Amino acid sequence: MDGHMGMRKISSHCSIPDLDDSDLLRLLEKPKLNIERQRSFDERSLSELSIGLARAGLDNYDTYSPGGRSGFNTPASSTRNSFEPHPMVADAWESLRKSLVYFRGQPVGTIAAVDHQSEEVLNYDQVFVRDFVPSALAFLMNGEPEIVRNFLLKTLHLQGWEKRVDRFKLGEGVMPASFKVLHDPIRKTDTLIADFGESAIGRVAPVDSGFWWIILLRAYTKSTGDLSLAESPDCQKGMKLILTLCLSEGFDTFPTLLCADGCCMVDRRMGIYGYPIEIQALFFMALRCALSMLKQDDAEGKECVERIVKRLHALSYHMRSYFWLDFQQLNDIYRYKTEEYSHTAVNKFNVIPDSIPDWVFDFMPMRGGYFIGNVSPARMDFRWFALGNCVAILSSLATPEQSMAIMDLIESRWDELVGEMPLKISYPAIESHEWQIVTGCDPKNTRWSYHNGGSWPVLLWLVTAACIKTGRPQIARRAIELAESRLLKDGWPEYYDGKLGRYIGKQARKYQTWSIAGYLVAKMMLEDPSHLGMISLEEDKQMKPVIKRSSSWTC
């Protein structure tokens, strides 16, 4: 864990060990939930747990979690020592290495998919920033950081390019969605070609790329202990350019980040425009990561840090108050009054209770909760989005109580959210007339397919990290075993279709790199939980504020 920051004065030259990832959150208000949980993973030492597991074997791992709940006892197949490599692991590493992309003899990333059966290449032969993250984590956990360093530097170089779509110039800090390397065998030259959204389907710029880049920079630094890359002038400038785009003042009255549909992993029209949970969680995590790496040896650095602290304070309060949904919150919204005026209004967004979809009342367990998909004037998107909720746990955007409630929801609604292949990217699927309106009749996002309720194996690493952090590894183990029963046999598909994720996606590419890497990262984290430190930010454990739960929502 990093050093202590709090509210004291910070030296003019701050490196990563000088700053605490968690003490900033003493500034942040935490609405209290009326549910008691076991201690989270953050309240135990990573090294302590790793040593305990190594001595006792993975079967004793359940002693850190509530046993026998919701049928989550250790399956018989788990009695094998988990530290013995699964037969899939070797194939996964072989496939991952086949996806490597080289620029002038140096590995700089992994392509999206190596599907030789597909006739259309499209952009699956490119290195995507978001897709490379699980690959990067796998290489870091395997003691191969050089490819990650090369990737960070190459994408940083691309950020400096002038970016134009038609006649419009994009912001200076925009990171590319993807890039590819063109090899000229005659001239023996390599050329980088970047896509900032001008070639993407739908022509949407990737808002999440810059956030993932900052998160990966911290993961590299945490894994290697190498401060030189993050503290280099180029990386410091790159982070500031990304943050300048996000922290700029405008007309918005909310601290959340306004963005268009299709700007993240859900990269097609799916009705997530406005303030999608995935972007807000990644935004929060990137701000916290940047705060730990930015130097303050000049006025610009100090000002940037001050702006981050203020934004984190407002963003965490907003998200924890307005995006959080549990049984009590749902009941409060159900009884809302409308047309309220002034700052004393309880229904601040003028949400019409009749707009609450019927499915949510049956879906919401008595014990559990989650961050809903979106909140904006007169609109609440009650859908579950896996990536945003997992990142909320890892970044400590979710309080410890909220993190435990999210895990309770996953356990309680296992068939709906996990089924036979982890993990539903969103739930439930939209269909019929609503599908026509929301997706624009998108034939790829039909019900229970692709982004519209499809199951994505890559999300395995995120849910595993969230499980370990909250002390619930048995959930991750069960999900990994489900993946192991089919992923290799099915050829590492990009996604699965159907309510339970039983069918290989209609248009899914085989040998999808992040499906492969996501599995490897999940396995390595479960075997050595100390790996969690490179992708997780801890909650401040010293401050336990007494705040009335949901004070912003109810009288």
Side-chain angles (χ1 to χ4, degrees):
M1 186 170 170
D2 301 329
H4 291 285
M5 171 184 165
M7 290 297 293
R8 71 172 187 268
K9 293 183 179 179
I10 305 172
S11 61
S12 59
H13 181 86
C14 292
S15 62
I16 291 174
D18 296 326
L19 297 176
D20 193 322
D21 287 326
S22 62
D23 283 355
L24 163 76
L25 291 185
R26 291 179 184 163
L27 303 171
L28 308 180
E29 301 167 77
K30 309 171 188 174
K32 191 72 174 176
L33 298 178
N34 292 325
I35 47 178
E36 293 182 359
R37 294 289 182 270
Q38 64 170 108
R39 292 186 304 162
S40 75
F41 190 87
D42 281 344
E43 296 178 67
R44 299 186 295 276
S45 162
L46 284 165
S47 59
E48 172 192 344
L49 184 54
S50 298
I51 293 170
L53 288 175
R55 289 175 179 169
L58 194 61
D59 290 335
N60 288 338
Y61 205 169
D62 276 333
T63 61
Y64 293 95
S65 307
R69 291 177 40 208
S70 304
F72 275 76
N73 289 317
T74 304
S77 59
S78 289
T79 56
R80 177 179 60 85
N81 189 332
S82 183
F83 296 107
E84 297 176 9
H86 190 279
M88 277 176 60
V89 172
D91 185 272
W93 274 113
E94 181 182 355
S95 299
L96 183 60
R97 296 193 189 284
K98 285 180 180 179
S99 72
L100 282 169
V101 173
Y102 291 83
F103 179 78
R104 297 174 183 172
Q106 296 293 320
V108 293
T110 51
I111 61 173
V114 189
D115 187 353
H116 300 296
Q117 299 175 346
S118 178
E119 296 179 359
E120 284 187 297
V121 175
L122 295 176
N123 52 3
Y124 284 87
D125 63 342
Q126 298 189 26
V127 181
F128 281 82
V129 172
R130 73 173 70 97
D131 291 41
F132 180 68
V133 171
S135 296
L137 295 177
F139 285 119
L140 288 174
M141 292 176 186
N142 202 46
E144 301 177 61
E146 193 61 30
I147 181 176
V148 182
R149 182 184 178 92
N150 293 341
F151 170 85
L152 289 166
L153 289 172
K154 279 290 166 283
T155 46
L156 185 63
H157 170 70
L158 295 173
Q159 183 197 41
W161 287 11
E162 183 178 275
K163 301 168 277 285
R164 288 184 179 274
V165 177
D166 293 331
R167 299 181 181 182
F168 181 70
K169 184 178 179 181
L170 276 67
E172 193 177 357
V174 174
M175 280 286 183
S178 63
F179 68 87
K180 67 184 301 182
V181 179
L182 292 181
H183 300 281
D184 188 333
I186 299 176
R187 298 180 180 179
K188 296 182 179 180
T189 58
D190 289 344
T191 306
L192 286 175
I193 305 294
D195 177 15
F196 294 92
E198 73 274 21
S199 300
I201 297 171
R203 302 299 188 265
V204 179
V207 177
D208 63 335
S209 287
F211 299 150
W212 280 122
W213 187 89
I214 292 175
I215 292 166
L216 187 55
L217 178 62
R218 177 188 174 274
Y220 169 86
T221 307
K222 281 283 186 182
S223 175
T224 63
D226 176 17
L227 307 178
S228 62
L229 182 62
E231 293 187 344
S232 67
D234 287 343
C235 281
Q236 290 287 310
K237 180 183 177 183
M239 281 190 285
K240 290 174 185 175
L241 287 175
I242 294 169
L243 296 172
T244 297
L245 282 175
C246 307
L247 298 174
S248 58
E249 297 174 347
F251 287 103
D252 215 329
T253 58
F254 312 130
T256 39
L257 201 62
L258 180 65
C259 50
D261 224 335
C263 60
C264 50
M265 181 178 174
V266 181
D267 60 0
R268 298 168 76 95
R269 180 176 164 187
M270 270 291 292
I272 65 165
Y273 59 88
Y275 308 93
I277 178 61
E278 177 177 335
I279 289 296
Q280 312 316 318
L282 287 172
F283 181 31
F284 182 88
M285 190 168 190
L287 287 176
R288 291 201 62 202
C289 289
L291 188 67
S292 71
M293 295 185 289
L294 282 172
K295 298 194 292 185
Q296 298 184 72
D297 48 6
D298 56 25
E300 183 185 8
K302 291 177 182 178
E303 180 187 5
C304 192
V305 166
E306 289 175 1
R307 294 176 70 186
I308 290 174
V309 170
K310 290 179 181 178
R311 191 62 167 261
L312 282 170
H313 178 83
L315 182 60
S316 65
Y317 178 81
H318 184 93
M319 296 298 296
R320 293 170 179 178
S321 299
Y322 303 127
F323 275 68
W324 181 253
L325 189 72
D326 56 19
F327 182 83
Q328 183 59 51
Q329 294 280 45
L330 182 58
N331 203 71
D332 291 342
I333 298 169
Y334 178 67
R335 291 168 51 82
Y336 265 171
K337 295 179 181 179
T338 58
E339 308 302 326
E340 294 182 302
Y341 177 74
S342 88
H343 65 278
T344 61
V346 175
N347 186 358
K348 294 179 186 271
F349 296 94
N350 198 37
V351 174
I352 312 300
D354 287 344
S355 69
I356 303 175
D358 291 338
W359 66 264
V360 129
F361 295 103
D362 295 326
F363 177 73
M364 180 60 69
M366 290 296 293
R367 186 164 120 168
Y370 64 105
F371 289 99
I372 62 175
N374 215 324
V375 175
S376 54
R379 175 176 179 248
M380 296 183 76
D381 185 346
F382 290 91
R383 285 177 294 175
W384 152 272
F385 289 92
L387 193 152
N389 276 274
C390 288
V391 172
I393 292 174
L394 296 176
S395 65
S396 288
L397 171 60
T399 65
E401 295 87 357
Q402 288 173 334
S403 296
M404 289 300 182
I406 293 170
M407 302 314 298
D408 283 344
L409 179 84
I410 293 174
E411 279 193 324
S412 299
R413 298 294 177 255
W414 183 264
D415 288 343
E416 292 90 339
L417 302 182
V418 182
E420 296 185 18
M421 178 55 67
L423 183 67
K424 288 292 179 195
I425 188 173
S426 63
Y427 180 88
I430 51 178
E431 50 189 316
S432 303
H433 185 57
E434 185 183 10
W435 166 79
Q436 294 177 336
I437 295 172
V438 173
T439 74
C441 301
D442 188 348
K444 195 165 186 177
N445 272 329
T446 53
R447 62 178 184 172
W448 307 113
S449 180
Y450 205 52
H451 301 134
N452 190 13
S455 299
W456 292 69
V458 63
L459 297 172
L460 193 61
W461 80 265
L462 280 159
V463 77
T464 297
C467 289
I468 295 172
K469 183 173 182 181
T470 54
R472 312 278 272 273
Q474 79 280 8
I475 301 177
R477 185 189 305 135
R478 186 180 180 190
I480 289 172
E481 288 181 349
L482 282 173
E484 287 177 338
S485 69
R486 289 194 60 188
L487 264 182
L488 177 60
K489 180 177 65 176
D490 292 341
W492 305 99
E494 179 183 15
Y495 64 95
Y496 285 77
D497 286 350
K499 278 190 175 183
L500 295 175
R502 298 179 64 187
Y503 305 98
I504 298 174
K506 187 181 294 186
Q507 298 185 43
R509 299 303 173 104
K510 297 290 187 74
Y511 291 93
Q512 186 81 15
T513 304
W514 67 357
S515 296
I516 296 165
Y519 166 73
L520 286 172
V521 171
K523 287 287 285 187
M524 286 189 281
M525 274 197 293
L526 201 57
E527 291 173 0
D528 183 359
S530 66
H531 287 315
L532 180 69
M534 71 175 74
I535 200 65
S536 174
L537 296 155
E538 294 187 17
E539 178 80 308
D540 179 17
K541 298 174 288 295
Q542 299 178 14
M543 181 179 176
K544 299 290 181 183
V546 180
I547 299 176
K548 289 185 179 180
R549 178 181 175 277
S550 308
S551 57
S552 309
W553 285 84
T554 56
C555 296

